Amino acid sequence: MFTCAQCAVKACRTNELEKMPKNCPMHDMAKLEKMKEEYLTPELHEFTLKAAQVECEGYCQWSRVEETIRFAKAMGYKRVGIAFCIALKKEAKILAELFQYHGLEVSSVVCKCGAFPKESIGIPKEHKLKPEEFEPICNPIAQAKLLEEDGCEFLVLLGLCVGHDSLFIQAATKMVTVLASKDRVLANNPLGAIYCAESFYNAKLHREIE
């Protein structure tokens, strides 16, 4: 089991490999070298280089929105796709307008596309927010496939729920980036709970979860 999250050495950053912990994944460098070769494939090499370029040029200067725009333009993408939660429809409109202002074509698909009732895929009434009312499924698989069919070269996730984002990424064949993650309690700032984990949010994070 790897425990990089608890590592106090960070030999990977300093290249002091002699200080690696016993369970450091770098003990098997042959395997890592093989994995590194994937960055050199025609499919991934330019993408990898542009990601490093945008990181370097915009480090502590550009917002995530600006990084996304600049990366798309650096890659030469013409059309980007926005898959958004209906609760973030206002944010999606602003984002689409920003992308368009900077010369990108934008296709956007909302999570409720299809208007399929939750019962149609076996979701029980007790797992609906309003059991006796019409409640459509979130449809991330359709979002991914429709955006790709519409010619999108780069897909941007905006506020999809936990699990729905996973389904979107699994269904997509194009590259995906997450602009914002859903957090209904913390104003779509999931790390707020982590930043307050040793103070205000401590009790909530450490309560029993069944």
Side-chain angles (χ1 to χ4, degrees), residues 38-72:
E38 294 189 28
Y39 297 111
L40 303 177
T41 62
E43 298 81 11
L44 297 181
H45 192 220
E46 183 183 6
F47 196 93
T48 301
L49 294 180
K50 295 303 183 183
Q53 176 186 333
V54 168
E55 176 193 16
C56 178
E57 293 178 352
Y59 199 81
C60 293
Q61 301 294 320
W62 301 339
S63 68
R64 180 85 180 192
V65 171
E66 187 173 356
E67 279 190 346
T68 303
I69 293 169
R70 287 180 179 268
F71 180 81

Side-chain angles (χ1 to χ4, degrees), residues 47-121:
F47 196 93
T48 301
L49 294 180
K50 295 303 183 183
Q53 176 186 333
V54 168
E55 176 193 16
C56 178
E57 293 178 352
Y59 199 81
C60 293
Q61 301 294 320
W62 301 339
S63 68
R64 180 85 180 192
V65 171
E66 187 173 356
E67 279 190 346
T68 303
I69 293 169
R70 287 180 179 268
F71 180 81
K73 293 177 74 68
M75 284 295 297
Y77 294 143
K78 301 301 182 185
R79 181 174 297 185
V80 297
I82 301 174
F84 68 99
C85 170
I86 197 165
L88 279 78
K89 57 185 183 296
K90 182 185 297 185
E91 293 85 345
K93 181 177 183 293
I94 294 171
L95 182 64
E97 290 171 350
L98 282 170
F99 284 169
Q100 290 166 338
Y101 177 83
H102 289 283
L104 297 167
E105 297 177 4
V106 181
S107 184
S108 58
V109 178
V110 68
C111 63
K112 300 300 183 182
C113 180
F116 299 120
K118 289 186 174 180
E119 293 86 348
S120 69
I121 61 169

